[in-house]
Amino acid sequence: MLTDVKILDVQKIRKDFPILHTLVHGKPLVYFDNAATTQKPLCVIQKEEEYYKTLNSNIHRGVHSLSQKATTAYEQAREKVLRFFNASRLSEIIITKGTTDSINLVASSFGKKFIKEGDEIIISHLEHHSNIVPWQLLCEEKGAALKVIPINDKGEIIFEAFEKLISEKTKFISVVYVSNSLGTVNPVKEIIQLAHSRNIPVLIDAAQAIQHFKIDVQELDCDFLAFSGHKLYAPTGVGILYGKEKYLEEMPPYQGGGDMISSVTFEKTTYNSLPYKFEAGTPNIAGVIGMGTAIDYLNEIGMDLISSYEKDLFEYANAKLSSVEKLTPIGTAENKLSVFSFALEGIHPHDIGTILDFDGIAIRTGHHCTQPVMQRFGIPATARISLSFYNTKEEIDFTADALKKVFEVFG
Ligand code: PLP
C-alpha cells in the first residue's frame, strides 16, 4: 500500500519570497544568512502594508472601531503564538522586541526579585552575547557569580561538568537550544529535568530553534523561553517571552509606562494583570500582526515537513561542503542542524564572504556574537552558511564551486 508522503515543493515555496528573485552583482541571490535573519514571505509583507492602509491605530485604549479592530488583530497574534508552541495560558505569552529584550527582561526582573549576593547563575559556553551579558550585568549588580558549562572539541556541552556545576547556590540556568555559530543542538530537555530536580528555573534561548522544529513548551517544561520574530519569517522588532505564571506573577515590572498599569497616583501605582504587566508602551503593532501571519504561513506548510526538508538539506550541505579541499568545519556535534561554520586554510573569513558575494552568495563571517566560542576554538572568526527551507541543493553545489574559486583568488 502506498502511504501519503508529503514532499516540500521548494520551487513553489521560493515564489512566496520576493527577495529570492533579486540579483546581486548580476547573479541570482543565494541567501545563506538565515541565522542572522530570515527572508519574509509576501503574505507577511502584505499584512504589514494592509495594517497601515486599513487598521492603523493604537491598541488597548481606544473605543473607536479602528482601535478595537487593531486590538483584536494584535491579540489574535498572541493566540497564534500560544498554539504554535502549545502554551496553555495567554497570560504566559509576553510580547517583546525580540530574544535580546526577552532575556534582559528576565535577567532584570527575576534578578531583582530572586538573586542575591553569593548566588550562582549557570549558562553554557555556546551562548550568544545576548544570553551572557544580561547575566553578567545582573551578577555585577548583585554580587552573584556566573558559571559556565564547558564544551568539548566538537562544540557539545559536557553534561557531567554541568551536573558538577549545580549546587545549593545555583538560582537560575539559561541555555541556548541551538547554537547560532556552530549549529549544536543542546540536550535542553535533560538540562531542564536535572535543574527541576533541584528546583532551579530554566530559560531556553530558542532564537535558532523555533524556526526549525516544533517546540512544545508544556512538554519541554521550560520555565522561560525566548525567541525573535525576525528569525521566524516575521518582521524585525518583535519577539516573545514565554514564562510560567508562577514566576511572572512574582516578578516586578521590567519597564514602567502606559499599558502596564492598573491605576496611577503620585503616591502609588498598581500594575496591570499578566501579560500586560510586562508590556509597557506602544508596541510594534504591525510587526506583531505580521508575526501572526508568519505563523499561519509556517503552519500551512507544516513544521514537520520544514524540519525533514531542512534535515535532508543540511546533511547534503555538510557532506558536500566538508569535501571542499582545505576546508575545515568548525563544530562537529552529533546533534547539529542548519548551521555550517567553517575555515578555509590561510584565508580570512571576511575574504571568503567578499568573494562569495560577487557570485551573489550571502553568507555571514565574523564571531557571530559568540566571542567565547571563537576563543574556545582559538580562532577570531568563522565563515557561516545557515539554511532555510527555501534553500536548495543546487545553491549548495553552486557555493561549493564558488569556494574553490576563492582559492584561485587567494591561494
Ligand atoms: N540568541 C541566539 C542564539 C541568536 O542567534 C540571536 C541572534 O542571532 C540572539 C539570541 C539575539 O537575537 P535578537 O538580536 O533578535 O534579539
Side-chain angles (χ1 to χ4, degrees):
M1 200 178 76
L2 281 175
T3 43
D4 183 19
V5 182
K6 264 181 91 185
I7 293 177
L8 187 136
D9 184 347
V10 67
Q11 291 310 331
K12 182 164 170 278
I13 279 176
R14 289 177 68 83
K15 292 197 180 112
D16 296 335
F17 292 83
I19 208 168
L20 297 181
H21 309 286
T22 54
L23 299 179
V24 174
H25 299 300
K27 310 267 176 59
L29 169 68
V30 174
Y31 187 73
F32 276 155
D33 196 15
N34 294 290
T37 198
T38 52
Q39 298 302 346
K40 317 304 169 202
L42 188 61
C43 57
V44 170
I45 299 167
Q46 285 173 337
K47 194 72 186 178
E48 275 216 292
E49 190 184 336
E50 181 193 310
Y51 168 78
Y52 284 118
K53 280 183 173 165
T54 66
L55 276 190
N56 181 44
S57 54
N58 213 330
I59 53 165
H60 294 150
R61 316 164 193 177
V63 291
H64 63 81
S65 298
L66 274 190
S67 173
Q68 296 201 355
K69 281 186 187 156
T71 302
T72 302
Y74 184 86
E75 290 302 328
Q76 276 169 349
R78 196 190 305 273
E79 285 167 29
K80 288 174 188 180
V81 172
L82 173 134
R83 285 194 292 276
F84 189 59
F85 60 24
N86 194 35
S88 63
R89 296 184 178 108
L90 287 167
S91 54
E92 299 186 323
I93 314 284
I94 296 160
I95 295 172
T96 66
K97 290 187 288 186
T99 310
T100 304
D101 195 31
S102 299
I103 297 173
N104 274 278
L105 188 164
V106 179
S108 168
S109 173
F110 184 96
K112 204 176 273 177
K113 174 90 184 192
F114 294 109
I115 303 297
K116 50 184 194 329
E117 194 176 348
D119 286 347
E120 292 179 359
I121 292 162
I122 297 179
I123 59 171
S124 86
H125 205 121
L126 286 171
E127 304 309 320
H128 187 279
H129 296 164
S130 62
N131 200 25
I132 302 174
V133 185
W135 303 110
Q136 278 175 331
L137 289 169
L138 173 66
C139 287
E140 269 170 32
E141 188 190 321
K142 294 282 188 157
L146 193 63
K147 300 279 161 178
V148 182
I149 311 167
I151 52 174
N152 62 22
D153 292 342
K154 291 177 167 178
E156 299 161 323
I157 64 155
I158 302 169
F159 203 86
E160 306 76 61
F162 168 55
E163 285 177 312
K164 285 193 192 128
L165 272 186
I166 298 187
S167 77
E168 292 289 297
K169 293 181 185 164
T170 311
K171 292 292 160 9
F172 201 86
I173 296 169
S174 191
V175 285
V176 70
Y177 205 147
V178 179
S179 153
N180 65 306
S181 51
L182 304 181
T184 309
V185 183
N186 266 334
V188 292
K189 184 113 207 204
E190 288 78 0
I191 291 174
I192 292 166
Q193 277 169 355
L194 182 60
H196 285 181
S197 71
R198 316 276 180 92
N199 283 324
I200 305 163
V202 181
L203 182 148
I204 301 300
D205 171 355
Q208 300 293 343
I210 193 85
Q211 64 279 53
H212 296 302
F213 52 87
K214 239 186 216 164
I215 291 182
D216 181 327
V217 288
Q218 292 188 73
E219 206 239 345
L220 207 53
D221 201 22
C222 52
D223 302 284
F224 299 93
L225 182 135
F227 73 82
S228 301
H230 72 97
K231 296 184 198 282
L232 188 69
Y233 308 93
T236 52
V238 298
I240 291 295
L241 173 68
Y242 161 80
K244 282 187 182 161
E245 214 177 71
K246 68 172 177 178
Y247 291 114
L248 295 176
E249 284 291 6
E250 293 291 314
M251 287 160 53
Y254 173 46
Q255 292 180 324
D259 243 20
M260 53 73 71
I261 55 93
S262 171
S263 74
V264 179
T265 66
F266 286 120
E267 289 71 39
K268 185 166 173 60
T269 292
T270 56
Y271 307 125
N272 205 341
S273 55
L274 290 172
Y276 309 108
K277 180 172 96 174
F278 291 106
E279 295 182 0
T282 302
N284 179 353
I285 303 165
V288 171
I289 294 170
M291 179 162 61
T293 303
I295 288 174
D296 289 342
Y297 177 77
L298 294 172
N299 283 338
E300 210 167 295
I301 299 169
M303 284 310 291
D304 286 340
L305 196 56
I306 287 173
S307 290
S308 63
Y309 178 85
E310 288 186 349
K311 183 171 181 286
D312 180 54
L313 190 67
F314 180 68
E315 276 166 16
Y316 184 83
N318 204 15
K320 182 89 191 187
L321 298 168
S322 298
S323 70
V324 171
E325 224 182 306
K326 297 186 179 161
L327 183 150
T328 310
I330 311 288
T332 49
E334 300 298 324
N335 194 1
K336 190 177 158 171
L337 59 81
S338 177
V339 169
F340 185 84
S341 248
F342 64 96
L344 280 186
E345 197 181 294
I347 303 174
H348 195 280
H350 291 324
D351 292 331
I352 304 171
T354 306
I355 298 295
L356 291 188
D357 183 58
F358 284 119
D359 274 330
I361 304 167
I363 67 160
R364 179 54 60 114
T365 61
H367 52 66
H368 319 294
C369 295
T370 56
Q371 284 184 4
V373 173
M374 301 298 121
Q375 289 149 15
R376 171 65 178 76
F377 285 90
I379 47 178
T382 75
R384 180 186 73 182
I385 287 169
S386 53
L387 305 174
S388 158
F389 60 88
Y390 46 58
N391 290 126
T392 65
K393 290 182 179 169
E394 289 72 33
E395 289 179 317
I396 289 161
D397 292 344
F398 181 65
T399 304
D401 287 342
L403 282 171
K404 290 172 199 151
K405 267 194 264 168
V406 175
F407 273 110
E408 285 161 25
V409 179
F410 286 102

